Amino acid sequence: MKKILLLTLAIISSGLMSGAATIQQMENQKAQYEDAAEEAHRRSEWLKGKINSVSEVKRALDEEAAAATAEYETKKNTLDATLNRIETNELKLLQNERDYEKRLRRLERRIRDIYINGQISYLDALFGAQSFGDFLTRMDLLKRVVVHDSELVTATLQDRTKIEKLSEQLDEDKHLQAEQVRLAEKAKNKQLQKVADQQILLDRMQNDKEIYERQYDEMIAASKQVEKLIQESKYRAAAEKAAREQAAAERKARAERQKLAKEQKANSGGYTKNNGVETFTPEGNGEMIFPLQGPITSEFGWRTHPIFGGSKFHSGIDIGGDYGMEIHAARGGVVNHAGWIDGYGNTVMIDHGGGIVTLYGHNQSLAVSVGDTVRQGQTIAYCGSTGNSTGPHCHFEVRKDGEAVSPHDYL
């Protein structure tokens, strides 16, 4: 936006064009801004439709991704449950094997006793009864021992077989479920990638839409600014013409005054002869002194701007110098500004009363503050190249009631 306005102002300030040509060019520029704004608006609306379409696609993909993620989580939970069962089953199998070993060792001892002692130990146990009731009791106990031993071993073997079968089934389930989890995770990642790709596309389109909207706002603002400047330029052309006529009249009057002064000095002996050559040195007719001793590198009036190019009105004179050279007050007065001004850099302004203010720009540093009373010739700053400047110099302005006037009329 700033570049657009700078270009517009460059067109307006061009002194090579007539007022009518400048206005026509600004009107053409305004039409171009409006065309650019319309194109930006059209692209923004087109992208708005595309964004709605992509958003709908992304919404469907979000749902698919959510379903794929839920499927993956379900299968993962099932696998985790199976792994937990396998771990529990392994612990049970380990405990069963320990019980089996204990029972087997107990049964082996019993068998070894039977082998060593033979059936006689059982017969001794039976016939050692003191009565028939004792005999029946011993018989029942022996039967229970034999049955218990047999059932114990059988139950242990059955438990072991059952646990082994369960382990085999769980192992098969684990491999099957692990594959299902892998496939579900792959499907989930695929859907999530689709969602991410759509989001990237959506973000890019949204960013482009915002760019076009900014372009539209900038073009409309520029068009309105040009429209305002077109109106102002009509008055500006008349004012510039009047200013040029006034400047011409002032130059003519100044020339006449100088001629009259020369004649008066000639009549009063102002001319001198040196080796037979008559010479005359004119004196300044103003009350101000030059703020810096150096060549004038740019005069007051219209010129080609050294940085931005194009014709631009120069509201003062530039006096060449070097970094750190003292800048002096052209006349006594009160400092009403001492600080930075865009374009001018470090600047001092002195109010001399009667609507006369002098300005000293592009200083390296300042030696006074606002409110200081300064005398003519006092050091107020040091030469530099701050602000819009191509080298060290003093930009000196004289303003009468706020309007820039030629400093030569006061020096």
Side-chain angles (χ1 to χ4, degrees), residues 141-175:
L141 289 173
L142 287 174
K143 286 172 61 179
R144 289 186 181 185
V145 169
V146 172
V147 171
H148 175 73
D149 289 344
S150 176
E151 289 177 349
L152 189 62
V153 173
T154 300
T156 302
L157 290 174
Q158 288 176 348
D159 288 345
R160 182 175 182 182
T161 301
K162 182 169 67 175
I163 293 173
E164 288 176 347
K165 287 182 179 181
L166 180 59
S167 296
E168 291 176 0
Q169 182 62 46
L170 289 174
D171 193 52
E172 291 179 3
D173 291 345
K174 181 185 73 173
H175 290 299

Side-chain angles (χ1 to χ4, degrees), residues 378-395:
Q378 179 178 335
T379 299
I380 58 173
Y382 299 93
C383 185
S385 184
T386 57
N388 296 335
S389 171
T390 58
H393 70 283
C394 174
H395 174 82

Side-chain angles (χ1 to χ4, degrees), residues 71-72 74-86 169-185:
E71 179 69 14
Y72 165 74
T74 299
K75 294 185 179 299
K76 182 68 168 56
N77 292 336
T78 301
L79 176 61
D80 291 342
T82 299
L83 293 175
N84 290 334
R85 289 180 61 194
I86 289 174
Q169 182 62 46
L170 289 174
D171 193 52
E172 291 179 3
D173 291 345
K174 181 185 73 173
H175 290 299
L176 177 61
Q177 291 164 2
E179 179 63 16
Q180 291 177 344
V181 169
R182 187 186 68 79
L183 293 175
E185 184 176 19

